[in-house]
């Protein structure tokens, strides 16, 4: 990947009317094989891509959901609702 192993990246893509953002997202997916989640912003033309360096391992939705529930209990912030909106473009079968 392009990050150091402990690195993290978030980028806010303008998805708008065209499909140009899809190519950017595919490029990000190729670089972060399995270390990527995306989030569409409701009512806006934005798509947020979040990626982690290799030190974090693969993003496993089941584990992330468990952590979202734990954090929600601790902080009273709607982490589960946010988690439910995340998309994981590359599945293990595609790696």
């Amino acid at each position: 990947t392009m990050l150091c192993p402990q690195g993290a990246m978030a980028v806010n893509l303008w998805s708008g009317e065209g499909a140009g953002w899809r190519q950017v997202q595919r490029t990000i997916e190729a670089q972060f094989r399995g270390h990527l989640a995306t989030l569409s912003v409701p009512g806006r033309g934005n798509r947020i891509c979040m990626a982690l360096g290799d030190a974090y391992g693969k993003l496993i939705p089941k584990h992330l959901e468990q952590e979202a529930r734990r954090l929600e209990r601790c902080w009273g912030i709607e982490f589960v609702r946010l988690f439910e909106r995340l998309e994981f473009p590359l599945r293990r079968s595609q790696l």
Side-chain angles (χ1 to χ4, degrees):
T1 66
M2 299 172 77
L3 288 177
C4 71
Q6 298 82 16
M9 179 193 82
V11 60
N12 185 3
L13 302 175
W14 172 253
S15 56
E17 304 269 333
W21 66 271
R22 287 189 181 102
Q23 180 57 44
V24 173
Q25 182 174 317
R26 280 193 293 271
T27 300
I28 294 169
E29 288 171 14
Q31 292 296 315
F32 294 98
R33 301 173 46 86
H35 303 273
L36 176 73
T38 64
L39 178 68
S40 293
V41 180
R44 306 279 184 193
N46 300 64
R47 182 170 211 67
I48 300 168
C49 292
M50 299 162 282
L52 297 173
D54 291 334
Y56 295 96
K58 301 282 186 247
L59 295 179
I60 301 171
K62 181 180 177 181
H63 295 165
L64 293 174
E65 182 179 15
Q66 292 169 347
E67 184 65 7
R69 291 186 189 288
R70 186 187 73 75
L71 289 170
E72 189 166 305
R73 284 191 304 274
C74 289
W75 296 98
I77 299 171
E78 297 178 335
F79 286 108
V80 173
R81 187 171 154 208
L82 178 63
F83 166 79
E84 289 170 347
R85 292 185 30 236
L86 285 176
E87 298 172 29
F88 301 91
L90 283 178
R91 303 291 182 194
R92 284 184 179 271
S93 63
Q94 295 174 297
L95 299 177

